[in-house]
Structure formats: structure tokens, C-alpha cells
Amino acid sequence: MSRPPLNSPFLLGFDEIERALDRVARTASDGYPPYNIERLPRCDDAPERLRITLAVAGFTRDQLDVSLEESQLVIRGRQTEERERHFLHRGIAARQFQRAFLLAEGMQVLGADLVNGLLSIDLARPEPERVIKKIDIAARD
């Protein structure tokens, strides 16, 4: 899927967004591990919250790493092969993965939790402040 470049004369300073879209397009094709993203209901005056849930069955807490690298949430899983085991059928492979999510400015990672093979990461999206700034027009005579 190709997308048009952001080279409109009305889109100034969006180079970083174009690079981010290219980066996301390259990583979107890998389907492992499967994941959900859900919007959690608002409570009181708390900001909007999102939850990313990844199916990481077979991984322990020590084999998973969740980090924030600049504006990317990066989840890595590393399993090691156990050489002494002899399988008659091998349908569950020890597999490494890396899944990255590009976060908008202001997004906050609230925490991560591993329960029953599901890794859940909660995020908060604070309400953006509406900024209006008056620009004075200089008079030149």
C-alpha cells in the first residue's frame, strides 16, 4: 500500500511525521505476536486511557522487555531453546519478537501487567491544551 508524500505547500514541518509513517508501514506486516488495542472508559476527570494487549503465551516476565525509546513503545520477547528436550511434535516454537508502537506527543505509559499469557500496557492520552496566540503585525513605513 503506497501513500502520497506529505509535500503539500500547506503542510509545513511534517517531515518527522512522514518518516514515522514510513517506519510504521515497514513494521506493520509482521503479525506476531497478535495484539489488541482498546479504549478504556473514562472515569471521573482522568484523561482518556488506551490498553495494548499482546498474546505472549509461553513467555515469562523475565523474557519480556517493555521500553519507551524516544516516541516509540517497544516490546521485545526473547525465549531460549532448551537443547535437552526431545519433541515428537514441535508446534510451539521458541521465538523472539519485537513489536513497536509509535506514540503521539504527550502520551504516557502508565504501566504493564502480565496475566495468563497476556501482556497489557496501559497508556494515557492527556487532553491537549488549546493554544491561541495573537501575532502582532509590525507596521513598516
Side-chain angles (χ1 to χ4, degrees):
M1 178 174 90
S2 65
R3 81 182 155 68
L6 300 175
N7 60 2
S8 167
F10 298 109
L11 298 173
L12 302 175
F14 285 90
D15 305 350
E16 187 63 33
I17 292 174
E18 188 167 12
R19 283 191 291 276
L21 290 171
D22 289 338
R23 190 171 46 216
V24 168
R26 282 192 302 270
T27 60
S29 60
D30 184 19
Y32 182 80
Y35 64 93
N36 292 336
I37 301 176
E38 64 181 304
R39 185 182 321 254
L40 301 176
R42 283 185 185 266
C43 53
D44 300 325
D45 60 345
E48 178 181 42
R49 292 182 309 136
L50 303 174
R51 176 172 291 154
I52 300 171
T53 304
L54 291 92
V56 292
F59 285 86
T60 64
R61 184 172 275 107
D62 295 335
Q63 295 170 329
L64 296 168
D65 179 59
V66 179
S67 59
L68 193 56
E69 300 173 9
E70 295 183 18
S71 62
Q72 276 195 330
L73 174 67
V74 180
I75 301 105
R76 293 180 180 92
R78 292 181 183 87
Q79 288 182 322
T80 56
E81 288 283 334
E82 296 179 27
R83 301 273 184 222
E84 65 274 358
R85 297 175 75 182
H86 176 74
F87 292 96
L88 298 178
H89 171 75
R90 182 79 187 255
I92 304 171
R95 178 174 181 182
Q96 295 186 19
F97 72 86
Q98 177 175 313
R99 169 81 60 195
F101 298 90
L102 189 60
L103 302 181
E105 187 175 329
M107 292 287 291
Q108 300 168 348
V109 179
L110 300 176
D113 193 25
L114 180 64
V115 177
N116 297 329
L118 296 175
L119 175 64
S120 296
I121 303 161
D122 288 349
L123 308 168
R125 180 181 7 207
E127 287 291 321
E129 294 179 21
R130 187 167 182 213
V131 177
I132 299 175
K133 183 178 177 183
K134 176 88 170 134
I135 310 297
D136 291 328
I137 301 171
R140 297 192 187 222
D141 295 328

